[in-house]
Amino acid sequence: MLTRNPKTKSSLQILQDSVKWHHMAHKVNSLLDAYSGLLSNESMILAVNSSFVDPLLQFESQLKIIESSFGMLVVMPSLDKVKEMGSSYEYIEDMENLYHNILNIYENILTSLVSKDLYKLQILKEMLVWMSKDSSYLQERIMVIINKVLRFTVTKVRKYISVDAPCLGLLAAELSLLCSHEDPSIVKQASLGMCHLLYIARCQNDIGTNKPTNGKSHSLQFPSSDVEFLPKEFQQDESKIAQRVGQTLLPPLLTDFVQSLLMKLSSPDDKIASDAASILIFTLEFHAEKVTMVSKIVDAIYRQLCDNNCMKDVMLQVITLLTCTSPKKVIFQLMDYPVPADDTLIQMWKAACSQASVAPHVLKTILLILKGKPGEMEDTVTEGKRFSLDITNLMPLAACQALCTFLPLGSYRKAVAQYFPQLLTTLMFQVFYNSELKPILKDRALYAQDALRVLLNCSGLQQVDITLMKENFWDQLSEDLCYYHGVCFIAKTLSEYNFPQFPETLSYLYKLSVEGPRRSEDTVIVLIFLTELLNNFFKDPLPEEFLVLFINWINDSNPVVSRLILHRIVHMSPIINKINGGIRSMAIRHFGQLVRDMRQYTWMVNDVVLEGLVPLILFLEDDDKRVAEACKYTLKICTSQLKWSTSRLLKDENYSFEMVVLNICNNLIISHRNYITDLTSDTLRFLWSPRTYLKRASVILIGYLAKSGGHLLLRDEIEVMLDVIERLLRDEDPMIKQLAEITYDIFKKKAHKLTSAPLKQNFQKLLKLFYIKKLKPLYNYNSPNGQIDSPTDSKDVKNDKAL
């Protein structure tokens, strides 16, 4: 019986051994190929490195070679598998040496590149990116190579007078993420790499100073061997990493660090994204003030949020942190997107305005943007090209829309109160600018109006907004002239509600007037707004400072400004009586010319005339003949516009003040009785004047107005009239006393009628709507000749009791 030799192999075993040795031969060949390939690549890199090729092209070609060499490394078998190949100790040793030689060649290539140019530390950053895409066993070894190159760099920079390594921020970002790697060995290497990198950065910061020849004077200490030193402060401690990186890197490098981490938030690897988010937030919390290129970062965040492939909450938190240290840069960038803002941009706005501490800075930046005019090519704010001819590029519109988001926030309440005058005035400018562009802007022209309404409502002026809405105010701003009328109406409405921000608003308008607004249309708006506030809040005399402003406006090179201030002077007559008669007469005549120029605006001109009627009537009695003649001239134009037959009574041969007043009041009853109450209120203000002729004239006018439209007055209004007239009964001037007695009697009768039965009152009011009874002379008043402001120059007035 035959027996099998135990050393005899079966066919299967022979086949397996054959395959094993084939694989081993293949692995040996791959090591040899890597070795020869790296030698070849090394020679090419060194050749390029010593050539005079353009630095950028040189780097790009070398990077491609390095990447090719990196590819050779990652396909090599592990060292353990290499050892398995050997059949003898000598063979194993040879293979192991070959393996280490390959790695050393790669390390030498990197060292030679960096030794000549620190810019090429960028290659280490690229290696970390390549490594993150490959989870091979060589990751730790690659980290060791990187650390050796960094350590070599440390020894070099200690001897340099200056250090310029612009890639440190990007490299630091990659290393910081590896400090939280799941593999402890990689964490250790990454932490050591961070230590080396920060030392290089510290040397870079010391340019121009006397540096020591060793690193012991720096806060980061380096031992004699890698194994002995493990900088544990960086391991799994994202806060410490952020602190030390922020302290050490120069602002441009820290910006690179932040931008790199920002891009990592979109990583498909959740751990990388999460780690990047933590380091990024810590960095900005500690050192956001050092970050540059904020606008670019904000724009990158906007685009990533639009793509919906990033950590939204973290991105918005970055906006918040950047706004705390660079509000101007953030806000300017946020206003530089198409209008209207999309949901993403509005979310960024909300993130930017979430901190009360930066609210004043945000509003100041918004106000700076609002100095611009929508559609302008030239940005006078930043003294450079900002706006293109593209009408969609409208930062002021975006700023108005943003204010609708910012202003109502509770965290902004204090800042809104602080900047109320500036916001109010600037938004009125913007409403005007937008009204000019309304055909082009369409719905976008309403953002300034919306912002103005929000400002009123969040400033305790809700009733002002309600009144403006009831008057259909916002829909009537489509034309320039109408807008000027609207500015006056805003000021008047604010005054009616005695808005508490008046002192600071007046102060700001005065300051703006003295400094001079940026545009002529701004001057017109400030002029109207300021004069209307003065007209409503001040009594005669007006402070001297404002009179100087009026003189300057009268002499303004812009005819629109000079004519408009003269028009306003007519309306403000009770409080500007100190101006010399020549200017007042000029103002009155210019008002007449303005009415004549506005005749084509038939829907508006009658309102303008009726609003200016009271001073024109009362100044017929001015003791300066120039003023009286100017009133006659202008009243002829105004009454002609209203189609009244008053002109003949204004001729010198027919003139009688009382007959002119009687004629005008009769015409008011026929065609404009709804204005009688307002005219009565306007006249009441003149009763407080220290001027004798004004008190006489206003007592007569208010008496006729009461006789013609007293039924339109409320009980409280009549009681106010009675109180004022009663004061005049004790006036030093006897003529004023007599005139006041007649007027007082008229109001007493009106008050008595209000105490009658409600049914009777309603019947009387209804009767007056359909039955018009012309007035008859009440006072038999003759103007004193050559009158002066004293109680001794009056004449007796006969009292006509037949009322």
Side-chain angles (χ1 to χ4, degrees), residues 665-682:
C665 289
N666 279 329
N667 279 292
L668 285 170
I669 295 172
I670 295 171
S671 58
H672 295 90
R673 64 173 61 191
N674 57 315
Y675 278 89
I676 290 176
T677 301
D678 289 339
L679 294 174
T680 302
S681 177
D682 289 346

Side-chain angles (χ1 to χ4, degrees), residues 38-62:
L38 282 171
L39 286 175
S40 174
N41 286 348
E42 182 181 30
S43 61
M44 286 192 293
I45 286 176
L46 293 176
V48 174
N49 212 32
S50 59
S51 67
F52 296 98
V53 179
D54 177 82
L56 179 60
L57 295 176
Q58 183 188 90
F59 175 78
E60 290 177 349
S61 63
Q62 289 175 336

Side-chain angles (χ1 to χ4, degrees), residues 723-739:
D723 289 342
V724 177
I725 301 298
E726 187 177 14
R727 182 181 61 84
L728 294 177
L729 294 176
R730 299 185 295 274
D731 195 273
E732 295 179 357
D733 184 83
M735 182 179 291
I736 290 177
K737 288 181 182 179
Q738 295 180 42
L739 295 171

Side-chain angles (χ1 to χ4, degrees), residues 269-282:
D269 188 317
D270 291 341
K271 186 176 188 315
I272 290 178
S274 177
D275 292 342
S278 298
I279 300 172
L280 177 61
I281 296 303
F282 279 129

Side-chain angles (χ1 to χ4, degrees), residues 635-650:
L635 272 174
K636 287 177 183 177
I637 295 174
C638 292
T639 54
S640 174
Q641 173 63 34
L642 296 171
K643 296 182 170 44
W644 292 351
S645 58
T646 311
S647 296
R648 59 183 181 82
L649 297 175
L650 294 170

Side-chain angles (χ1 to χ4, degrees), residues 568-710:
R568 297 301 302 164
I569 286 175
V570 172
H571 285 279
M572 298 177 64
S573 297
I575 63 170
I576 58 172
N577 286 312
K578 281 192 172 182
I579 294 181
N580 82 42
I583 292 179
R584 286 193 288 129
S585 62
M586 189 189 306
I588 293 168
R589 287 183 180 275
H590 271 288
F591 178 60
Q593 293 170 11
L594 182 66
V595 170
R596 181 176 290 164
D597 293 344
M598 290 176 62
R599 281 179 175 171
Q600 67 270 31
Y601 300 98
T602 54
W603 52 273
M604 185 198 307
V605 68
N606 287 357
D607 289 342
V608 173
V609 168
L610 291 164
E611 288 173 2
L613 199 57
V614 169
L616 292 176
I617 296 171
L618 299 182
F619 278 88
L620 286 169
E621 292 295 281
D622 198 296
D623 50 8
D624 189 310
K625 186 175 181 181
R626 293 171 299 177
V627 177
E629 290 300 318
C631 287
K632 290 179 182 179
Y633 166 82
T634 299
L635 272 174
K636 287 177 183 177
I637 295 174
C638 292
T639 54
S640 174
Q641 173 63 34
L642 296 171
K643 296 182 170 44
W644 292 351
S645 58
T646 311
S647 296
R648 59 183 181 82
L649 297 175
L650 294 170
K651 294 180 180 179
D652 290 342
E653 61 270 21
N654 301 325
Y655 177 73
S656 164
F657 176 74
E658 185 174 3
M659 295 309 295
V660 170
V661 173
L662 181 61
N663 177 276
I664 288 174
C665 289
N666 279 329
N667 279 292
L668 285 170
I669 295 172
I670 295 171
S671 58
H672 295 90
R673 64 173 61 191
N674 57 315
Y675 278 89
I676 290 176
T677 301
D678 289 339
L679 294 174
T680 302
S681 177
D682 289 346
T683 307
L684 182 65
R685 293 167 47 244
F686 286 89
L687 291 173
W688 296 94
S689 173
R691 306 285 177 172
T692 300
Y693 72 87
L694 276 178
K695 284 192 284 190
R696 291 174 182 172
S698 57
V699 167
I700 294 171
L701 178 57
I702 205 168
Y704 277 109
L705 290 171
K707 190 70 176 175
S708 58

